[in-house]
Amino acid sequence: MKYSIPASDFFYVPDSAEQELEDIRVLLRMPGGRRMFRRLLSAGNVLGPSMGKDSRGTEYNEGLRAVGLWLAAKIEMAVPGDFARLMQESSNDRQAANAKNHQSRRQSRA
């Protein structure tokens, strides 16, 4: 007889919807928590295509996307409007990094 332990048994968290939302609120108040959410949403490719090179790749990408969409929904439930704010922060950080890289390249040519 084979015995298997569901993966959920390894990471038990009491089921409390309000505690889950409060945990997300706490993390969203921290710069590191906001960066981590942005990394997770990026890894889930929430706003991008899911097509892979083959059906297995697409299925894998859809699995990542499903987790990302779940997280995006939880963020919106915890702090309405924060998903959009995370996107804006990401855009601002990308623009700042691009400007810094552009300036650095110009200085290295001089």
Side-chain angles (χ1 to χ4, degrees):
M1 172 191 243
K2 253 186 160 175
Y3 178 76
S4 63
I5 300 171
S8 60
D9 287 351
F10 290 110
F11 299 102
Y12 173 76
V13 179
D15 189 23
S16 169
E18 188 49 44
Q19 183 62 57
E20 180 178 76
L21 295 179
E22 182 55 29
D23 292 344
I24 291 171
R25 286 183 200 108
V26 166
L27 292 171
L28 286 169
R29 287 192 291 263
M30 302 166 57
R34 295 185 73 78
R35 282 190 304 273
M36 183 53 66
F37 280 136
R38 286 169 41 195
R39 284 185 188 103
L40 293 170
L41 291 165
S42 177
N45 199 25
V46 172
L47 301 174
S50 297
M51 290 298 281
K53 293 181 180 180
D54 57 27
S55 63
R56 287 187 178 149
T58 299
E59 291 165 0
Y60 177 80
N61 292 342
E62 275 297 307
L64 287 175
R65 188 168 180 272
V67 173
L69 290 171
W70 171 85
L71 181 58
K74 294 293 183 175
I75 289 169
E76 276 302 297
M77 289 170 58
V79 183
D82 237 30
F83 179 75
R85 283 187 282 279
L86 288 169
M87 289 176 55
Q88 185 62 53
E89 290 169 15
S90 184
S91 176
N92 294 345
D93 286 354
R94 181 183 309 276
Q95 288 175 357
N98 287 343
K100 183 178 178 182
N101 289 338
H102 181 71
Q103 184 179 20
S104 176
R105 278 184 266 144
R106 283 180 52 205
Q107 289 175 348
S108 66
R109 290 182 199 160

